Amino acid sequence: MKGRRSTSGLPRGGGGATPGRRNPLGATTGRRSRVRSWPAAGSRVTAAAKERAEQAALREGVRYRRWFVMLVGAIVAVSAVVVLLGTVGLFQETRARPLTPDEQNRYKQEEIARRWQAWPASGVFPDEVKYIGLDQAQQYARRVGIAPETECGKAVDSAVAGVLNEHGCVTVLRATYVDQTSTFVITVGVAVLKDEQSRVSATEQLGQDDRVGVLPVSFPGTVTERFGVEQRQRTGWVGAGPYIVFSTAGYADGRTRAAIPPEEILHSELWPAAKSVGNQIAYFLADPPKVPPCTQGNVC
């Protein structure tokens, strides 16, 4: 019917609604087109390339990390093997075991070579030294005094000093004894060479001249005070380990060598006594020590 309103509350199909006017439901009655903004094609390519680069870098990092872990593992393994081998070697070296023949011989040589320093003076030159007297009777020579340690060239005659110095003489130790009757005076000198081989080489060059050898040592106020170079009747030496043990003897009354007929000195008890005393001291110095059976004592 003409002039009748629509009961639906909506505008008629042909009616013109004002653009932008809100209806009762809150929606605009006019229609506007909404266009979504898409990224450009170049941006999508760049993002994809960046993502691929990141993935490649990640894979490369993982690969390097694997190599690093393998390298560290190898180093640790090698170090462990080295430590293990070192420990085994140390155990083998330090554990007690029997000494070899070469080690036993070296032990003896080293022990003998340090005696002149390790022993006290009374160990090198005992208070009394036994010797064989007339009728093979055992007698004792008594030590009167010990001289200070002396340079090799100042303790022997010059002809002997040259040989000793040539072969590495270290020092000379001297002491003076008297026989049991205080008739004979005997000076014993121990020349210390650097080793046994040097001593052997030196003794090969020493002559058998009984007029030269160790210089005598006298001690004022004793029976030895008149014993000097001119009073030496005979001299001699004997080798023992790295030592050359010299002996020289004379009479306590001061008689010179020139005053004694040669045949008398040959048949005198003086030189056998002096030689015996020197040999005894050489024996003390070079007596082979007892060698422990094992590297760490008596138990292997």
Side-chain angles (χ1 to χ4, degrees), residues 83-193:
V83 171
L84 179 61
L85 292 177
T87 302
V88 172
L90 181 63
F91 175 76
Q92 292 289 339
E93 183 66 24
T94 58
R95 71 181 179 87
R97 58 174 177 77
L99 290 173
T100 65
D102 287 343
E103 289 173 333
Q104 293 178 3
N105 186 54
R106 185 165 63 251
Y107 178 92
K108 293 177 182 178
Q109 291 179 345
E110 292 175 352
E111 171 64 24
I112 292 172
R114 60 172 167 258
R115 284 177 175 171
W116 72 275
Q117 289 179 306
W119 287 2
S122 59
V124 178
F125 300 113
D127 294 339
E128 290 185 338
V129 179
K130 64 183 179 181
Y131 67 95
I132 304 301
L134 291 175
D135 300 325
Q136 298 298 307
Q138 181 174 289
Q139 300 188 37
Y140 290 88
R142 176 176 53 87
R143 190 191 70 218
V144 177
I146 300 175
E149 185 177 330
T150 310
E151 294 179 12
C152 300
K154 296 180 180 180
V156 295
D157 293 294
S158 58
V160 178
V163 175
L164 295 183
N165 289 329
E166 180 182 348
H167 293 280
C169 181
V170 177
T171 190
V172 174
L173 314 175
R174 291 180 295 171
T176 298
Y177 290 81
V178 294
D179 73 319
Q180 192 161 304
T181 64
S182 295
T183 301
F184 309 136
V185 182
I186 305 162
T187 291
V188 179
V190 178
V192 181
L193 280 297

Side-chain angles (χ1 to χ4, degrees), residues 198-220:
S198 298
R199 189 272 301 168
V200 171
S201 300
T203 52
E204 288 176 350
Q205 294 186 24
L206 286 177
Q208 296 297 326
D209 188 349
D210 66 1
R211 294 169 298 176
V212 296
V214 65
L215 298 178
V217 179
S218 60
F219 295 89

